[in-house]
Structure formats: C-alpha cells, structure tokens
Amino acid sequence: GEIEQALLAPARLGIEGAGSHYDFAMLPVGTALGYLPFSTPLATFASQVTGAFLAGCPLIAMPSPHSSLIGILLGSIVSGLNLSRGSLQIVFGNFEVLRHGLLNKQVAAVLYNGSREHCERIRAESRAVAERQLVLQSGGKNALILHDSGDVDAAIKSTLAGALRAAGQMCTSTSRVFVHRSLV
C-alpha cells in the first residue's frame, strides 16, 4: 500500500532517472539474516532490511552486543505492527553467533554492514550455499586531503563534520586527513 510505495520511492526515482520507465517486482528469496553492528544507526539498518520485508522474506535481525538497546527498540517498534507470526525474529549475538547462522543453509540472504574483514569472512563462509544472496557493505578509510592552497579553517570544519556526523557511526565517516607538508 502507501507504506510500500513510500519505501520504494527512492528506488523508483533512480530507475526513472535513467531515462526509461522500468517496473520491478519484489520476490521473496527465503529467510534473510540481517546483522546490526554497533556502528549502524537503526535508520540505516531499517533501510537495509526494508526490501526483505516488502518481498515477504522472513527476517532474522541480529543486533550485536553493542547494539542491544537498538535491538530492543526495533522489537518495540515492530511489536506495534501487524506482522505475521515468524516474519521477524530478533536474536542478540556477536559476529561469532552470526557465523553460526551462516551454517544454516535455509538462510537465503545475508544483509551486513561492517568491517571489510567480516564481509570477506561472510563471503567465504557463504560459498557452500551457492544461491545465497549477499548484501555486504564495508566502510573505507574516508580521507580528507588538504592541498597547500587549501583553506585550513574550512578543512578543520569539514573534518570534524565528516568524523562526528552520526556520532562517527557511519562507514563513510572521515577517519584520515592528509595535509600538504607545507601546512604542517
């Protein structure tokens, strides 16, 4: 209904922005496992798992021990929704618990946002399930580069904004600054 249309609006804009009109269908692939590490805000996690919900996939949401409060909040939010039994399970656990979930061949999709090393392990450990779909996002070491002709005050403000936006809990947070040696 209206909620589905609102959630799909950004995807439709991207498709329509390509100059053509495309229609698509949300098809269930099976049980999806979504991991919520400490560095992912609830809104980001919700946007990642929306597709699984809209397609009718049962979802296992797994907040890390550092995200327990967010996991409880997620449970509270969805408890007010009229979801069918078994459509959402919340399992609290660390990355090792997630790895045990990867052993279950009924897990058809994995949604993960976290370290590159963990993404590589998930990819390697999911090879045994050829049809498993992976949506893995790993953060980089986003950098600010300050040239010798650059505005130092503006660079400082940009660095602080990039590093501290969302309390630094984004994979796109500024984590390195390269300054031309003439400014050091």
Side-chain angles (χ1 to χ4, degrees):
E2 286 181 44
I3 293 174
E4 180 176 342
Q5 293 306 315
L7 290 170
L8 291 175
R12 291 186 195 284
L13 275 176
I15 291 171
E16 291 167 6
S20 301
H21 175 74
Y22 296 94
D23 200 12
F24 56 91
M26 302 292 288
L27 302 174
V29 297
T31 301
L33 173 61
Y35 188 73
L36 177 62
F38 72 94
S39 61
T40 303
L42 181 58
T44 302
F45 181 71
S47 69
Q48 290 175 336
V49 300
T50 298
F53 272 130
L54 292 177
C57 296
L59 175 67
I60 301 169
M62 186 177 288
S64 78
H66 304 289
S67 301
S68 296
L69 185 58
I70 293 175
I72 292 168
L73 179 61
L74 175 66
S76 177
I77 291 169
V78 299
S79 69
L81 302 175
N82 191 17
L83 299 177
S84 61
R85 184 173 171 87
S87 61
L88 175 66
Q89 304 290 320
I90 299 177
V91 177
F92 293 88
N94 60 18
F95 186 74
E96 294 306 313
V97 175
L98 170 74
R99 289 182 65 216
H100 288 291
L102 296 175
L103 296 174
N104 186 334
K105 294 190 185 308
Q106 292 179 345
V107 172
V110 177
L111 310 165
Y112 180 83
N113 184 339
S115 74
R116 183 177 185 172
E117 294 79 16
H118 283 174
C119 288
E120 289 171 3
R121 287 177 73 181
I122 291 169
R123 189 176 301 112
E125 293 176 11
S126 290
R127 286 190 183 119
V129 185
E131 59 278 351
R132 180 176 287 161
Q133 296 183 25
L134 302 176
V135 179
L136 307 175
Q137 296 178 326
S138 62
K141 294 292 184 184
N142 291 352
L144 182 129
I145 301 173
L146 180 57
H147 189 265
D148 63 349
S149 64
D151 181 339
V152 174
D153 289 335
I156 291 170
K157 289 178 185 175
S158 296
T159 300
L160 289 173
L164 302 176
R165 186 179 302 119
Q169 295 183 6
M170 295 178 67
C171 290
T172 58
S173 294
T174 303
S175 58
R176 296 186 291 176
V177 178
F178 296 97
V179 179
H180 192 274
R181 69 180 58 161
S182 68
L183 298 175
V184 179

